[in-house]
Amino acid sequence: MRLVRRLRALELPLEDVRRLLELVGDRDAFRSALAEHRRRIDARVTRLRGILHTIDHALTDEEWTMSTPAAPVAGPELHRRLGADLFNDTWRLMELEDRSPADDVLMIHQAHASAYHWLQAGTPNNVARSHWLCSRVYCVVGRAEPALFHARLVLSTCQEHGIGDWDLAFAYEALGRAYAVAGDHDEARRHVEQARLASAAISTDEDRELLLGDLETIPTAG
């Protein structure tokens, strides 16, 4: 009964309390179920903070109650154009020899903005390349965890949609590079070798040479 009271104090519904009581003997499952409830609470807190922020505006902004025209909804063509433009400018920033810390911040935000637009109106290939760009950007700034996160998304997108050719090869390249940044040289070499094997299926010599040249820039490629 003491445990029931503690769980109810966490605002757990009775059904969830019953489920957690059944999991008491399995500590990992109990912790996982409780962590799931924590995520729901955290999302609720975030939503309520947003409401408080809006209320603060309503209290101080006299024009808040005035009706304003709705913002136009971006269509697929605009999403694709913005996705491509942001992708290209992110690449420009990556190539800067004298890139500043502010450029790094802009580069990260633009990579994610590009991915957002391609997620709205792109093909699975576009989505895979967007995740590849995010992974590369994080490698450039030395952030292993998000680099690996997005590299894995490149590979899973390719596998889920049957994407091969150079997209698949560059998925392995992204993983090899991200593992190198993480300092896991064995995994880096393993994925670099997978990228080399996948290069045999690349349809054009130019794309294959681009991949192989890119692999040579990974510290553990040898």
Side-chain angles (χ1 to χ4, degrees), residues 75-80 115-123 126-127:
E77 184 177 348
L78 179 58
H79 279 303
R80 287 190 290 268
Y116 165 78
H117 288 293
W118 283 121
L119 282 166
Q120 303 308 305
T123 66
N126 296 133
V127 173

Side-chain angles (χ1 to χ4, degrees), residues 88-164:
N88 293 334
D89 201 57
T90 301
W91 195 267
R92 177 189 65 80
L93 289 169
M94 280 198 294
E95 292 179 335
L96 289 178
E97 294 183 4
D98 56 348
R99 197 175 57 250
S100 68
D103 290 329
D104 284 346
V105 172
L106 179 60
M107 183 173 64
I108 291 169
H109 285 312
Q110 286 196 164
H112 281 285
S114 175
Y116 165 78
H117 288 293
W118 283 121
L119 282 166
Q120 303 308 305
T123 66
N125 297 70
N126 296 133
V127 173
R129 294 166 195 173
S130 295
H131 287 305
W132 178 89
L133 181 67
C134 289
S135 181
R136 175 60 69 91
V137 162
Y138 281 116
C139 284
V140 168
V141 299
R143 297 283 307 283
E145 191 279 329
L148 281 167
F149 174 79
H150 286 284
R152 291 180 183 124
L153 285 173
V154 182
L155 181 59
S156 64
T157 302
C158 288
Q159 291 173 335
E160 180 182 352
H161 296 279
I163 301 171

